[in-house]
Amino acid sequence: MKKIILFISLCFSYLFSTAQLSSFVSIQNQVFCIGQCNGTAIVSATGGTGPYTYTLLPSAITNTFTSSAGISNLCAGQFTVIVEDQSLATSTSTFSL
């Protein structure tokens, strides 16, 4: 009985000790001229359980990275990045170029 309680206690400790998934975007290159698509953004994720999957909207770019995703050749506009970790937790960041 004590072994079962210890096992359950360890499981709960692991589940609740994992840091919550969060993400943020850093703009590396802003788009300055109309018609150019030379913007670059770096998306970083922390917490959760890697590896992470990054999905850029409105574009259909989906890639798997371990810590950060560099997204280049972006045109001016508003974008949303959804980061999903191995346990299917998500974090959403929005940015404009």
Side-chain angles (χ1 to χ4, degrees), residues 47-59:
T49 306
Y52 308 109
T53 300
Y54 297 79
T55 303
L56 177 67
L57 300 173
S59 183

Side-chain angles (χ1 to χ4, degrees), residues 3 10-11 24-26 34 36 38 41 47 51 53-54 61-63 65-66 69 75 82 85 97:
K3 289 182 182 179
L10 290 173
C11 289
F24 62 94
V25 177
S26 172
I34 296 173
Q36 289 187 337
N38 58 354
T53 300
Y54 297 79
I61 298 171
T62 302
N63 289 306
F65 300 89
T66 54
C75 300
I82 302 169
D85 72 0
L97 292 174

Side-chain angles (χ1 to χ4, degrees), residues 35-91:
Q36 289 187 337
C37 296
N38 58 354
T40 305
I42 304 295
V43 183
S44 298
T46 59
T49 306
Y52 308 109
T53 300
Y54 297 79
T55 303
L56 177 67
L57 300 173
S59 183
I61 298 171
T62 302
N63 289 306
T64 302
F65 300 89
T66 54
S67 61
S68 65
I71 306 167
S72 58
N73 300 320
L74 295 171
C75 300
Q78 185 169 352
F79 300 90
T80 300
V81 178
I82 302 169
V83 181
E84 184 175 81
D85 72 0
Q86 188 175 7
S87 63
L88 305 180
T90 59
S91 176

